[in-house]
Amino acid sequence: MKNQLRIIGGEFKRRTLAFAEIDGLRPTPDRVRETLFNWLMWDIQNAHVLDLCTGSGALAFEALSRGACQVTMIEPDTTQARFLKQNIQLFKNENCQLIVSTAQQALKKLSGTYDVVFLDPPYSLDLWQELAELADPLIVDKAYIYVEADRELTQLQLPNSWKKIKETKAGVVRAGLYQKII
């Protein structure tokens, strides 16, 4: 069984991508995605992007479509990873790396640095604080971090160096854009 999402902007606008039907897998809603990429409009170009909990790939592929120069996706589910690999081939993009692993395992091995990070873990796992702490050393000064949750963002215990600069809400989804200020 598979589901689909549509890229909403950039080079691959309107392209449809398939993803697996897995409990807890929920693409970022179109309205929230549009808001996020309006926020990042001038900063996504040529950015090194890290998508910590890729899931459907909605955020990662949207970033590629809008000019990110490198995207690293992390997805532990092997069924969904197959869909992501097919979508990477569909985009014919060598600037996209998929790591099939938990975010915790992958973050301990990554050595690059990132300008934009997406932190959107499965809500039921409550991984925001743990992943934020593991990812923080890889995030450059003045980088942007997008955080999505099903609760008030103030409850997430994110690093003190992450300053919230924008916030939006759509249904149960609460989303914030943070900037790392050292």
Side-chain angles (χ1 to χ4, degrees):
M1 200 65 190
K2 69 178 180 177
N3 296 318
Q4 295 186 326
L5 65 90
R6 189 175 305 279
I7 300 297
I8 56 176
E11 179 184 353
F12 305 113
K13 184 176 182 175
R14 295 188 188 91
R15 179 147 317 157
T16 302
L17 302 174
F19 62 94
E21 189 168 309
I22 298 169
D23 277 349
L25 180 63
R26 44 157 188 75
T28 298
D30 285 2
R31 192 174 78 175
V32 175
R33 235 183 320 144
E34 187 167 357
T35 298
L36 167 62
F37 285 96
N38 284 340
W39 290 344
L40 292 173
M41 185 182 312
W42 308 111
D43 301 290
I44 200 70
Q45 290 288 322
N46 300 313
H48 288 81
V49 176
L50 176 61
D51 191 349
L52 290 168
C53 302
T54 301
S56 69
L59 297 178
F61 290 113
E62 197 76 49
L64 277 173
S65 182
R66 293 170 185 252
C69 73
Q70 178 67 42
V71 175
T72 301
M73 297 187 277
I74 303 171
E75 174 55 46
D77 186 279
T78 55
T79 300
Q80 178 51 26
R82 281 196 300 277
F83 280 92
L84 292 170
K85 286 176 188 171
Q86 290 169 0
N87 290 332
I88 290 168
Q89 291 171 346
L90 185 69
F91 273 61
K92 296 183 174 85
N93 195 312
E94 293 95 39
N95 300 327
C96 193
Q97 174 189 16
L98 172 62
I99 300 170
V100 182
S101 164
T102 67
Q104 296 92 321
Q105 293 166 332
L107 285 167
K108 292 174 184 170
K109 296 177 185 171
L110 284 175
S111 59
T113 57
Y114 299 92
D115 310 301
V116 175
V117 176
F118 301 135
L119 176 56
D120 177 18
Y123 297 159
S124 62
L125 298 181
D126 196 17
L127 295 172
W128 293 277
Q129 182 180 1
E130 179 183 2
L131 295 181
E133 289 171 0
L134 287 170
D136 193 57
L138 302 173
I139 302 172
V140 300
D141 186 32
K142 301 208 175 19
Y144 291 98
I145 306 104
Y146 168 75
V147 179
E148 186 178 307
D150 62 346
R151 60 197 77 168
E152 290 291 336
L153 299 175
T154 54
Q155 299 174 14
L156 302 182
Q157 299 177 328
L158 301 172
N160 290 332
S161 62
W162 295 14
K163 307 299 179 206
K164 185 169 53 175
I165 55 176
K166 299 195 185 264
E167 186 172 2
T168 191
K169 182 178 184 254
V172 299
V173 175
R174 296 178 186 271
L177 186 65
Y178 292 76
Q179 188 169 34
K180 182 173 178 176
I181 307 294
I182 298 177

